[in-house]
Structures are given as C-alpha cells and as structure tokens.
Amino acid sequence: MIQLYWKNATDKVVGDAHGVSQADLDELKPRMCQAHEAVKAQIDAGRLGYAALPTHAGYAAQVKALVDKYRSTTTDLVVLGIGGSALGNIALQAALNPAIYNLLSDARRGGPRLFVLDNVDPAMVSDTLKLVGRRGARGLLVNVISKSGETAETASQFMIFREMLKKKLGDDFASHIVATTDTEKGTLHEIAIADGYDMLAVPGDVGGRFSVLSPVGLFSAAMCGIDIDELLAGAAEMQERIATAPCMNPACRLAAIKYIATTAKGKPTHVMMPYSNRLYPLADWYRQLWAESLGKRVDRDGNEVFTGPTPIKALGTTDQHSQVQLYREGPNDKLTVFLEVKKHPKDVRVPDDFADVPGLTYLRKTKLSKLLSAEKVATEYALAASNRPSVTIRFDEIMPHSVGEFIYLYEFVTSLMGELLNIDAYDQPAVELGKKATFALMGREGYDDVAADIKPFTRVDRNYLS
Ligand code: PA5
C-alpha cells in the first residue's frame, strides 16, 4: 500500500505564507467534492477511458496470449514509441526489474532484453541496431507503439527496423513485429493488416499519457516478467480507495495541496524527487502527465488563463548535491513530492572498517537503505527549515501492486487538478504546431502554409551569431 504524508506541507511546519492550513483545506472542500463528483460522473459516463483499464480483463488477456506466443523465442524486445507510447514502458521496467536486467544472461533474465527507443538520436538508434542485429534477428521482436501511427519519430524508427528485419529474415519478418495501435484506423493499423503483424490495442478513448495500464505499457512489462495482474490489481485498489472515501482520499488530499500551493501559496513548480533510482523514471512519466494535461492557454469557458504547474524531476540523494541549494535558497516557488521506499528490493551493508578514522566511523556496519532514508529526512527537514513545503508518497515496497496504485493515484490527481483549474486535461493542442512544422521541414505534402511561416527559422542570421 502507498500512503501520502503531508504534514510538512502545512502552515504548522512551513508557516502561513507557504503552508496549507486547515482553513485553506476547509475552504476548498466544497469545490474539491464537486471536482471529485465531476470526475466520477465522467468515469460513469465512460468518458475517461483510463479509469476502465485497471479492471479491463480483456486487454490483460490479449497481452498474455501474445506473451505466451513470443516470450520463449524472444531474446531482444525493441519498443519503438515516444511520449505516452514509451514513458510508461520505461518507468515500469525501471521500477520492477533490476537496473542490470539487460546485462543478465538470457537464462537469469527469463525474458528478453528490453530497449525502449523513445528518440531519433541517430547514434542511439544505430548502436541499438548493431547490438540487437549481432544476435541475428531470429530472437528479435519489435513492438511498434503509436496511436496515430503517423508520429514522425516512431514511423521513421519503424521503417528502419522493418527494413532490417526484412533483410535478415526475408518473408518471415512480419512474425517479428507486434503493432500496438488504433484497432480500427490509421496508417500503422493499415500497414499491420497488410504485412500481417499481431496487433494490440491503444484504446481509442485513452490518451497516450494515460495509457500505461493498457496494452501500450502492459506488453513489454509482461514480456520482461512483470506481474501485470498485480500491477492492475494495485491500480484497481487505489481506484476503490478513492471511490469509497469521496473528498477524504489520498488523491483529493494531494490534489488539494497541489492546487492550494499553486494558486494561493506561490508554488507553481512541482518537484518529484524519488529516493530510489528504480522510481526515478516514474518522475519522467509524471512530468508528461502533468505538463501535457495541465499546461493550457484557455480554460473550459474559453478564457485565456495560461495555467499549469511546471513539473520538475530530481533524484535523492544525487540532487542534494546539485539542486537542493536552489530549492532552499532560490525562489520559494516549489512544492516537493518525495517518493520514499521503506523496504528496498536489495540492501548493502558498509563494511566494519576504518575504526580509527573519526570522520568515517559512523558509517561502519550501516546499511545503505538506512543512509538513504536518513538523507531523505535530512532534506525534508532542511527544506522545512527554509519554509519550503513538501509531501511524501511512501511505498512499503516497490512491487507491481504499489506501482499500480501510484499510477492510478497520479492519473486521478491529474483529473482532479483539471477540474479545479477548469481546463481540459485530456487534449494537447500546443503539441500540434511542432508536429506540423516538422512535417513541413521534412517535405511532407499538405503542409505548405506552415512551411512558409517556418522559413525564417531555417536560416541562421549571422548578425546574431557570436
Ligand atoms: O500523450 C500523448 O498523447 C503523446 O505524448 C503521444 O503519446 C505521443 O505524441 C505519441 O503519439 P502516438 O502514440 O500517436 O505516436
């Protein structure tokens, strides 16, 4: 079970100007209850597809059927996708498999090595092609994930890997590709039908950033041995916890603190700081969820609001030696969300050495988990000492169940924030212009109007080159 600890975000700890008071919470309560009701009504009306995923047995069954088909013959799984079609995959793998997973032997891993290519960096793509190609391609499975099927980054990678598979395997190439895409339409859907790939669904009513618990995130997780039933059970349990305690659940509490911090306490910057390398990529997943959902120019009434807290990621303890100076003495504009793990999957003890070195004796025989916990409390205390608010999400252990809880919690908090800010949390209109401009620059037909606009940006004005 995960729990939210929020005392250090209160006025009692960081003072009236920066902390959330009981009066603030009481004042917000009617609106928070309305927000919860509104999200619930959208779920009941079937408008928020992500809420159906924790209990959608059909998707899990489809994923498991393909895992049964491919797992024993696959030694390398390459996921091609970007944004919501990749960040969840990366986060699940990092949280629930060892950091050295890809370095283990095939027998020790029990599943394929996993490479999630969420960029078109040519060196990265080239290195990955070489690395997986060295093994021949008989054991290679490519999972191309794209809801639209036309995202330039994913489409180009897909063309490269498809060509590589064709060269190495001839007509058999299609049995080494699984396409996760729209089930009814789209470019990738059409290619998958024509080539004859196995397909998984990106549910039409689930936006990319809310899709990790759909086949988008489940397939690579299950291929790599992660218990997706437990992941979904954790999400379902959080859903139940939220539903059975309207306004009094961790999602409403967290949303209230984040909303009050943003709108009344001058904290438009929301840091997520896991004290666990395993949980660090979940902060990347959160950044997309938060930024694309809440960063909006207009509210639902059409008023220009230019709203949205800025999500930042930091890693404990690493960023204590990098960011915390700014977080304590820079602008008091941040709310920090720590992720803390009570029982780590592994522990290491410092040797009983240097008994005669006064500066090091305190470390003798201590566990690294104890040091990590102490450093987290130290940072919490240091921030509070400078009137900087924080909350902590505590994981008893990093398990599929608790990760599922966390994912659903944050998705629901995002929906609540959307309601409180009165914005559409499910679109991303501002992303489109960049996509169109890329198409224009790359010469795609039908984008001439953008091509004219973008021309001045394609030439370097030497007057400004220093
Ligand atoms: O959350 C989103 O909608 C985006 O990040 C998309 O997931 C991303 O742009 C990739 O889109 P697609 O899955 O259509 O290739």
Side-chain angles (χ1 to χ4, degrees), residues 82-85 146-148 151 208-209 288 292 428 435:
I82 198 162
S85 294
S146 179
K147 184 172 182 176
S148 63
T151 304
R209 58 190 176 273
Q288 186 208 11
E292 282 194 349
Q428 58 283 328
K435 283 189 185 176

Side-chain angles (χ1 to χ4, degrees), residues 72-94:
S72 62
T73 53
T74 303
T75 51
D76 287 321
L77 173 62
V78 175
V79 171
L80 310 177
I82 198 162
S85 294
L87 289 167
N89 304 62
I90 296 169
L92 292 181
Q93 175 72 357

Side-chain angles (χ1 to χ4, degrees), residues 39-363:
V39 177
K40 187 175 170 302
Q42 289 165 41
I43 292 172
D44 292 346
R47 288 205 298 276
L48 296 187
Y50 79 83
L53 297 175
T55 50
H56 196 299
Y59 289 140
Q62 287 158 23
V63 164
K64 283 186 215 166
L66 284 193
V67 171
D68 285 347
K69 177 172 173 183
Y70 287 107
R71 190 149 187 246
S72 62
T73 53
T74 303
T75 51
D76 287 321
L77 173 62
V78 175
V79 171
L80 310 177
I82 198 162
S85 294
L87 289 167
N89 304 62
I90 296 169
L92 292 181
Q93 175 72 357
L96 297 168
N97 270 325
I100 55 159
Y101 174 87
N102 274 3
L103 301 177
L104 298 173
S105 66
D106 290 346
R108 289 272 310 278
R109 271 196 324 272
R113 295 189 297 185
L114 178 66
F115 304 92
V116 183
L117 300 193
D118 66 339
N119 202 353
V120 283
D121 180 293
M124 178 186 74
V125 173
S126 164
D127 287 346
T128 310
L129 275 170
K130 257 195 214 131
L131 187 72
V132 299
R134 217 180 278 152
R135 294 216 206 187
R138 283 269 148 233
L140 173 61
L141 183 66
V142 172
N143 178 207
V144 51
I145 308 176
S146 179
K147 184 172 182 176
S148 63
E150 294 199 353
T151 304
E153 295 89 340
T154 308
S156 56
Q157 290 173 344
F158 165 63
M159 289 158 78
I160 292 166
F161 273 85
R162 180 176 177 273
E163 168 85 355
M164 180 253 218
L165 286 169
K166 275 182 118 172
K167 272 196 188 136
K168 289 193 185 281
L169 301 171
D171 288 346
D172 199 21
F173 81 96
S175 62
H176 290 256
I177 299 177
V178 171
T180 308
T181 189
D182 194 291
T183 47
E184 279 159 22
K185 56 180 189 323
T187 309
L188 181 57
H189 175 81
E190 282 163 29
I191 295 170
I193 300 275
D195 278 357
Y197 313 147
D198 279 320
M199 276 199 270
L200 287 166
V202 183
D205 55 357
V206 178
R209 58 190 176 273
F210 288 89
S211 70
V212 56
L213 299 177
S214 80
V216 169
L218 296 181
F219 181 63
S220 65
M223 283 289 286
C224 295
I226 291 167
D227 186 340
I228 59 169
D229 290 330
E230 272 298 295
L231 183 75
L232 294 171
E237 192 177 300
M238 179 55 74
Q239 187 167 44
E240 185 68 15
R241 228 169 121 187
I242 293 169
T244 48
C247 317
M248 294 298 290
N249 55 67
C252 288
R253 178 65 75 201
L254 184 54
I257 291 167
K258 283 179 175 254
Y259 179 75
I260 294 166
T262 310
T263 56
K265 308 287 171 180
K267 310 277 176 281
T269 308
H270 294 188
V271 179
M272 182 172 283
M273 189 167 185
Y275 271 72
S276 155
N277 281 58
R278 284 197 171 205
L279 298 181
Y280 195 29
L282 266 177
D284 277 322
W285 171 83
Y286 145 77
R287 284 193 316 145
Q288 186 208 11
L289 184 69
W290 211 241
E292 282 194 349
S293 303
L294 304 180
K296 297 289 151 74
R297 181 177 65 86
V298 289
D299 67 14
R300 288 186 294 202
D301 303 316
N303 305 308
E304 280 203 328
V305 287
F306 297 106
T307 192
T310 301
I312 302 273
K313 66 169 179 170
L315 177 65
T317 66
T318 309
D319 282 315
Q320 286 176 217
H321 304 269
S322 161
Q323 299 296 295
V324 169
Q325 171 63 33
L326 171 73
Y327 296 177
R328 282 198 67 209
E329 291 192 355
N332 193 345
D333 62 351
K334 297 173 191 62
L335 170 70
T336 299
V337 177
F338 295 110
L339 307 187
E340 180 181 46
V341 181
K342 283 200 202 155
K343 186 166 175 262
H344 291 267
K346 309 247 167 68
D347 214 337
V348 181
R349 204 179 273 283
V350 177
D352 184 8
D353 206 351
F354 295 118
D356 50 352
V357 180
L360 298 182
T361 46
Y362 72 99
L363 291 172

